[in-house]
Amino acid sequence: MIRFLLTKTNKVTKGLDLKDKTCLITGANSGVGLEMTKCLNLCGCTVLMACRNTYAASVVAKNTCLKPDSLRLYELNLASLRSVRKCSDDLLNKEKKIDIVILNAGIFGLPWTETVDKLEITFQVNYLSQYYLLMNIEDILADNARVVIISSESHRYVTLPFNEILTPTEETLSLPKNKYSSIKAYNISKLCGILAMHNLGYRWLNTKKTVISAHPGSFVKTRLCRNWWLYEAIYTGMKPFTKTIAQAASTPLYCATSSDLNGLSAIYYKNCERCQESDLASNLQLSFRINDLTKDIIRDRVTMSELPVSLSDTRQKHDVEHNIEDSLLTNYSN
């Protein structure tokens, strides 16, 4: 298996010429994000590194990337919607076109923490803020842009009561302290990412834009596990049996760059192969409801002038009486 993964990793970006491409990566300064930055930079791609600490990111980039002149840094604190908006404005002002977006940043293992926006931090950082960022910069996405949302197999462990599937609330996603566990919050955030993929895939159905979710690997030893010594010990113990960071980057890179995936959208990948997500994650009606809820959560926390058109438009219809044509669903499911 490891030999197979090594072969896959070496093949993903071999011979790629991305000189005319621009890629935005969140959390690009460490772990899988940094590995993807290095590989895309080597292929000539202009990489926009969206990171909380731009100074540290610049130091790391100069020491690890062969073409540092092709890197541009943007400050982004995903625990603050105001910071996300500022980063979005900077991108809109400075960039003409973005061809690839990789929503990679993530946190895990924190005690219950509330952000300045009064949201549970794992939900906001892993999902909400990155979705808000994407919607803010939609106007400068290339006509054939490809978006990769980093997900996880752990999304399969989320179960929701029937009433929360029908009418999810803010507490369904942004867990209150009395219902919180770090694992549950992480799993929910990854489920939200896949549901967002389906919603975007449906909304972009008649365009050339595509969106894919990618699972890098389980128990990959990165800074993700740094927040609690127990997780650090578990990930360290699992290290001989799991992917390296370079191997973990192979699936997201494949999803971001492979011509094999041209025209395909709203699909979930692991080990560089298509994989079926959970029933809950593939529920298109739920993806509409979560999208509407996401809009409401953001609207409650930003001014109207800070809302992109995609978040201020009319709500999507997803009631039981709303019938989607069979032919349209067939096209959507590729």
Side-chain angles (χ1 to χ4, degrees), residues 272-288:
C272 294
E273 295 179 349
R274 188 170 179 176
C275 177
Q276 183 60 47
E277 63 273 33
S278 71
D279 290 342
L280 197 60
S282 59
N283 187 326
L284 186 59
Q285 298 294 328
L286 179 60
S287 77
F288 292 161

Side-chain angles (χ1 to χ4, degrees), residues 143-293:
D143 291 341
N144 61 342
R146 190 179 294 183
V147 175
V148 179
I149 300 173
I150 302 300
S151 188
S152 170
E153 279 289 274
S154 67
H155 82 272
R156 300 185 188 280
Y157 301 113
V158 178
T159 58
L160 294 177
F162 184 67
N163 65 303
E164 292 192 16
I165 294 175
L166 286 179
T167 54
T169 66
E170 184 174 311
E171 286 193 359
T172 303
L173 309 181
S174 178
L175 297 175
K177 191 171 185 179
N178 63 334
K179 295 182 180 179
Y180 177 82
S181 77
S182 60
I183 294 175
K184 184 178 180 181
Y186 181 81
N187 295 349
I188 289 173
S189 72
K190 294 305 176 181
L191 172 68
C192 287
I194 300 178
L195 290 170
M197 172 195 75
H198 282 295
N199 182 73
L200 287 171
Y202 180 78
R203 189 158 68 81
W204 290 343
L205 190 62
N206 295 318
T207 74
K208 294 181 181 179
K209 295 184 180 72
T210 57
V211 55
I212 301 170
S213 284
H215 168 60
S218 300
F219 295 102
V220 179
K221 185 66 166 62
T222 66
R223 295 177 69 239
L224 187 69
C225 61
R226 70 187 184 279
N227 294 308
W228 191 27
W229 67 267
L230 180 58
Y231 290 141
E232 186 83 38
I234 292 171
Y235 274 65
T236 300
M238 292 291 292
K239 194 173 180 179
F241 312 104
T242 59
K243 294 179 182 180
T244 64
I245 291 176
Q247 290 165 359
S250 62
T251 298
L253 283 172
Y254 176 76
C255 292
T257 62
S258 176
S259 59
D260 296 341
L261 304 183
N262 287 349
L264 297 179
S265 191
I267 48 181
Y268 176 64
Y269 265 71
K270 71 173 183 177
N271 294 331
C272 294
E273 295 179 349
R274 188 170 179 176
C275 177
Q276 183 60 47
E277 63 273 33
S278 71
D279 290 342
L280 197 60
S282 59
N283 187 326
L284 186 59
Q285 298 294 328
L286 179 60
S287 77
F288 292 161
R289 297 180 191 119
I290 294 299
N291 182 66
D292 286 342
L293 177 58

Side-chain angles (χ1 to χ4, degrees), residues 5 11 25 27 32 43 73 102-103 113 134 141 160 184 194 282 308:
L5 290 171
K11 286 183 176 180
I25 304 178
V32 174
C43 297
L73 278 78
I102 305 178
L103 301 180
T113 305
L134 180 64
L141 294 182
L160 294 177
K184 184 178 180 181
I194 300 178
S282 59

Side-chain angles (χ1 to χ4, degrees), residues 30-85:
S30 67
V32 174
L34 180 59
E35 184 66 27
M36 291 189 291
T37 299
K38 287 159 51 180
C39 291
L40 293 172
N41 177 255
L42 189 61
C43 297
C45 184
T46 298
V47 180
L48 314 178
M49 303 175 67
C51 310
R52 187 174 61 174
N53 187 334
T54 53
Y55 173 75
S58 66
V59 172
V60 169
K62 288 177 182 177
N63 290 333
T64 58
C65 294
L66 294 181
K67 303 174 182 179
D69 292 341
S70 297
L71 303 173
R72 292 199 281 273
L73 278 78
Y74 289 87
E75 185 176 349
L76 174 65
N77 176 9
L78 291 167
S80 164
L81 292 176
R82 178 173 292 182
S83 173
V84 175
R85 182 66 203 194

